[in-house]
């Protein structure tokens, strides 16, 4: 490397590349072990330079409040967000994927905020840029976590695990009432591992197969599936996006979610017990078990469990983000995929052209519309936080109503507005709540979406699968029973876990 391209450091006397002023070294405490930056490859130095500002930004997860709620940019941003969410709410009617309006909204909101920052002052412009980076880094961590989780679910599905479960249940000759409870129990305990949406879709296949001659059974059982899947997802960090966000924000640790297991169970059992008497008391015809698990299927399930263990250990004991464990699991899944592909190539029963198993094809089957929807929502809500609206909401709701009533009310609101923006808004508010209150908002945001069919991704998905048997109004007929479960679940938490409310239950 030519010496004329380096210049001396006036402080330390080192030679340093002009591209990298941020990498000047302090005098080494042990000169023999000191690293000479001039001997590093230029590509590595450039990478270090790029990483330096990112590390600084990631260490400060606070979005500065710009206090622009009364400015024109603030009013326009609110209108844009509301209009985009109306398109999300009417996705089934318009056919417009939910990610598209929120992506446009996020771009418009932050574009307007950046323009206002440039016209204001250098300090506010810098605050806008820092705020965007903070939210984007939050999303990036969530994004890679979800990509891995969705890839595992797709891999499990591709190996016929879910189809084998459906065929096995449908071929045992269970009565309608037995199937009602079996699918509900399976949903409640499967949802904490593979999220509520996937669980509802898997179990719905069983119900559609055995209930093809009884639309009434399908309708009631689908309501039960939605309630059970949402309740099951509330007591696990992996059960819902909202619980994942709470865990990543260190508001509730992994094992602490088990505290709301009983309240979540109560919130499902009460409406299930009420609906039980409306389920037909007869037995459908047995179907044929026509699905076998493909090679490597059980190994993927075991590997998914190992990945969860790595994720929990990495976060709880090593202090690393949850995405570390998930990416480690993805690397192991890649190795397993190589073994599966090699086995299929060597299997004479499988045609050569059919042996194309690839982990990248599995990843491509992830729910990209959902992932981009999360991006749009997080950036939009983060933009409103930067403008100052989230702080206004925090003062109006938490200071006005008190923590308990505010958390109960926000849970009810999640039946109308998706629980993801609600939970992200609460995390941005970061009210001074004790541990019991954070468990309460986790519970209510998890089970509140069950009140309406459009209140959760599971309900919306099942309306599309039922071919008219399960509708918005079918679900609405049982909202009163689900509301009883909601009240009972909240009351159970307030009574059982009162010792977690250090500032008092009704503060």
């Amino acid at each position: 490397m030519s010496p004329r391209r380096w210049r001396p450091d006036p402080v330390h006397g080192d030679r340093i590349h002009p591209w990298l002023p941020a990498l000047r070294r302090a005098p080494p405490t042990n000169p023999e072990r000191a690293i000479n930056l001039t001997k590093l490859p230029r590509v590595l130095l450039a990478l270090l330079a790029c990483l330096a500002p990112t590390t600084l930004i990631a260490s400060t997860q606070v979005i500065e409040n710009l206090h622009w709620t009364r400015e024109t940019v603030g009013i326009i941003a609110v209108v844009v967000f509301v209009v985009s969410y109306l398109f999300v709410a009417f996705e089934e009617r318009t056919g417009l994927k939910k990610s598209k309006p929120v992506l446009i909204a996020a771009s418009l909101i932050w574009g307007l905020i950046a323009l206002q920052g440039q016209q204001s002052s250098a300090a506010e412009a810098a605050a806008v840029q820092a705020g965007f980076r903070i939210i984007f880094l939050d999303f990036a961590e969530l994004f890679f976590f979800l990509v891995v989780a969705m890839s595992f679910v797709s891999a499990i599905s591709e190996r016929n695990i879910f189809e084998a479960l459906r065929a096995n249940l449908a071929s045992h000759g269970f009565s309608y009432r037995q199937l009602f409870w079996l699918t509900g129990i399976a949903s409640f305990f499967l949802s904490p591992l593979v999220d509520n949406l996937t669980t509802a879709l898997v179990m719905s296949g069983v119900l559609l197969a055995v209930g093809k001659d009884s639309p009434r059974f399908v309708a009631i059982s689908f309501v039960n599936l939605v309630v059970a899947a949402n309740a099951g997802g509330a007591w696990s960090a992996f059960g819902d996006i909202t619980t994942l966000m709470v865990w990543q924000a260190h508001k509730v640790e992994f094992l602490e979610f088990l505290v709301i297991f009983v309240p979540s169970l109560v919130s499902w059992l009460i409406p299930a017990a009420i609906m039980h008497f409306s389920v037909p008391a007869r037995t459908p015809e047995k179907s044929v078990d026509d699905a076998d698990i493909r090679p490597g299927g059980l190994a993927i399930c075991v590997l998914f469990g190992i990945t969860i263990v790595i994720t929990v250990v990495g976060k709880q004991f090593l202090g690393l983000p949850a995405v570390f464990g998930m990416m480690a699991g993805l690397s192991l899944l890649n190795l397993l995929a190589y073994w599966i592909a090699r086995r299929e190539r060597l299997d004479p029963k499988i045609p050569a052209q059919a042996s194309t198993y690839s982990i990248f094809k599995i990843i491509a089957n992830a729910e990209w519309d959902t992932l981009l929807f999360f991006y749009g929502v997080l950036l939009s809500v983060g933009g409103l936080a930067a403008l100052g609206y989230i702080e206004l909401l925090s003062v109006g709701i938490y200071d006005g109503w008190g923590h308990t009533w505010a958390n109960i009310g926000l849970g009810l609101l999640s039946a109308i507005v998706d629980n993801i923006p609600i939970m992200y808004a609460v995390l941005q508010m970061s009210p001074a709540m004790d541990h019991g209150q954070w468990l309460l908002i986790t519970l209510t945001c998890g089970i509140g979406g069950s009140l309406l069919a459009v209140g959760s991704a599971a309900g919306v998905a099942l309306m599309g699968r039922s071919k008219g048997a399960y509708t918005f109004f079918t679900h609405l007929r049982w909202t009163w029973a689900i509301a009883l479960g909601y009240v009972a679940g909240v009351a159970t938490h307030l009574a059982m876990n009162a010792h977690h409310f250090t500032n008092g239950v009704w503060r």
Side-chain angles (χ1 to χ4, degrees):
M1 189 175 295
S2 175
R4 61 186 174 85
R5 300 188 64 183
W6 293 82
R7 56 182 173 81
D9 187 309
V11 178
H12 303 108
D14 293 338
R15 293 187 304 161
I16 187 130
H17 199 280
W19 295 349
L20 302 169
L23 292 178
R24 297 191 182 99
R25 295 182 288 117
T29 55
N30 186 349
E32 293 181 0
R33 298 181 62 185
I35 300 175
N36 188 351
L37 289 178
T38 63
K39 294 183 179 179
L40 290 175
R42 276 190 288 175
V43 174
L44 180 57
L45 288 172
L47 287 174
L48 289 173
C50 293
L51 288 173
T54 304
T55 305
L56 177 62
I57 293 164
S59 65
T60 308
Q61 297 297 318
V62 178
I63 301 175
E64 183 176 336
N65 186 347
L66 297 169
H67 302 286
W68 290 345
T69 54
R70 295 186 180 182
E71 301 287 339
T72 303
V73 63
I75 297 171
I76 295 175
V78 171
V79 172
V80 168
F81 180 72
V82 171
V83 171
S84 70
Y85 230 84
L86 286 175
F87 277 103
V88 172
F90 291 99
E91 177 188 4
E92 289 296 315
R93 291 193 175 186
T94 63
L96 185 68
K97 294 293 185 181
K98 60 182 178 292
S99 63
K100 297 178 181 180
V102 292
L103 281 173
I104 294 172
S107 301
L108 288 175
I109 289 171
W110 277 100
L112 291 169
I113 294 173
L115 181 62
Q116 180 73 15
Q118 293 294 327
Q119 294 175 351
S120 299
S121 66
E124 290 178 327
V128 171
Q129 295 168 15
F132 181 87
R133 289 191 181 98
I134 289 170
I135 302 169
F136 187 81
L137 288 175
D138 285 343
F139 168 74
E141 186 175 331
L142 178 65
F143 172 83
F144 283 104
F145 185 102
L146 292 175
V147 165
V148 178
M150 290 177 176
S151 298
F152 267 103
V153 172
S154 295
I156 292 171
S157 178
E158 191 273 341
R159 295 286 97 180
N160 263 16
I161 296 292
F162 296 139
E163 188 66 15
L165 174 63
R166 176 204 62 76
N168 187 270
L169 284 174
S171 64
H172 268 72
F174 294 116
S175 69
Y176 281 132
R177 289 186 173 179
Q178 287 175 321
L179 285 167
F180 174 85
W181 284 103
L182 284 172
T183 53
I185 292 170
S187 297
F188 185 82
F189 287 101
L190 184 61
S191 180
L193 297 176
V194 295
D195 80 67
N196 46 11
L197 173 59
T198 301
T199 299
L201 290 175
V202 170
M203 290 296 108
S204 67
V206 179
L207 297 172
L208 288 171
V210 299
K212 56 183 181 293
D213 298 325
S214 180
R216 178 185 172 190
F217 164 73
V218 171
I220 297 174
S221 297
F222 271 29
V223 176
N224 185 48
L225 277 189
V226 172
V227 179
N230 289 339
W235 58 273
S236 167
F238 292 88
D240 197 356
I241 302 302
T242 56
T243 56
L244 176 59
M245 289 193 295
V246 170
W247 183 41
Q248 288 184 328
H250 298 283
K251 302 300 183 182
V252 179
E253 296 304 332
F254 187 82
L255 294 178
E256 292 173 346
F257 284 99
L258 294 174
V259 171
I260 55 175
F261 169 81
V262 175
S264 299
L265 182 62
V266 169
S267 71
W268 164 60
L269 283 178
I270 288 181
I274 295 172
M275 289 186 287
H276 166 85
F277 298 100
S278 296
V279 178
R282 62 177 191 270
T283 301
E285 293 183 5
K286 291 174 62 176
S287 61
V288 179
D289 186 348
D290 55 355
D292 295 321
I293 298 175
R294 301 174 68 182
L298 295 178
I300 294 175
C301 293
V302 172
L303 188 56
F304 189 32
I306 294 172
T307 300
I308 293 174
V309 172
I310 295 173
T311 302
V312 175
V313 170
K315 189 173 188 299
Q316 300 296 124
F317 299 102
L318 301 180
L320 294 170
V323 69
F324 158 78
M326 297 300 286
M327 294 302 291
L330 182 61
S331 67
L332 298 176
L333 182 60
N334 266 287
L335 291 176
L336 181 58
Y338 170 78
W339 174 80
I340 293 174
R342 181 178 175 84
R343 175 173 175 173
E344 289 185 349
R345 284 197 300 269
L346 298 176
D347 191 341
K349 298 180 182 178
I350 301 177
Q353 62 272 19
S355 179
T356 57
Y357 187 85
S358 169
I359 192 60
F360 298 107
K361 291 182 179 180
I362 298 296
I363 294 175
N365 290 329
E367 290 286 339
W368 291 101
D369 179 57
T370 302
L371 291 168
L372 293 176
F373 171 74
F374 293 153
Y375 170 84
V377 168
L378 265 60
L379 266 292
S380 296
V381 174
L384 297 180
L387 290 166
Y389 286 107
I390 300 302
E391 182 178 319
L392 287 179
L393 282 174
S394 179
V395 172
I397 295 176
Y398 281 99
D399 292 352
W401 297 359
H403 293 164
T404 299
W405 287 115
N407 289 331
I408 294 173
L410 289 172
L412 294 172
L413 184 62
S414 69
I416 303 171
V417 181
D418 195 273
N419 59 0
I420 295 169
I422 289 178
M423 181 58 79
Y424 190 69
V426 172
L427 291 172
Q428 287 297 321
M429 295 176 198
S430 194
M433 298 194 300
D434 55 30
H435 189 58
Q437 294 291 352
W438 280 110
L439 289 169
L440 177 60
I441 187 61
T442 303
L443 173 68
T444 57
C445 273
I447 65 177
S450 301
L451 291 165
L452 297 176
V454 296
S456 66
V460 173
L462 293 192
M463 281 193 292
R465 291 207 67 185
S466 68
K467 299 178 181 179
Y470 170 72
T471 65
F472 176 86
F473 293 102
T474 301
H475 192 104
L476 193 62
R477 293 193 191 103
W478 296 103
T479 294
W480 64 273
I482 301 168
L484 289 177
Y486 180 86
V487 172
V490 170
T492 302
H493 172 59
L494 297 179
M496 279 187 60
N497 303 317
H499 57 285
H500 288 283
F501 294 82
T502 56
N503 296 322
V505 170
W506 295 107
R507 180 182 180 277

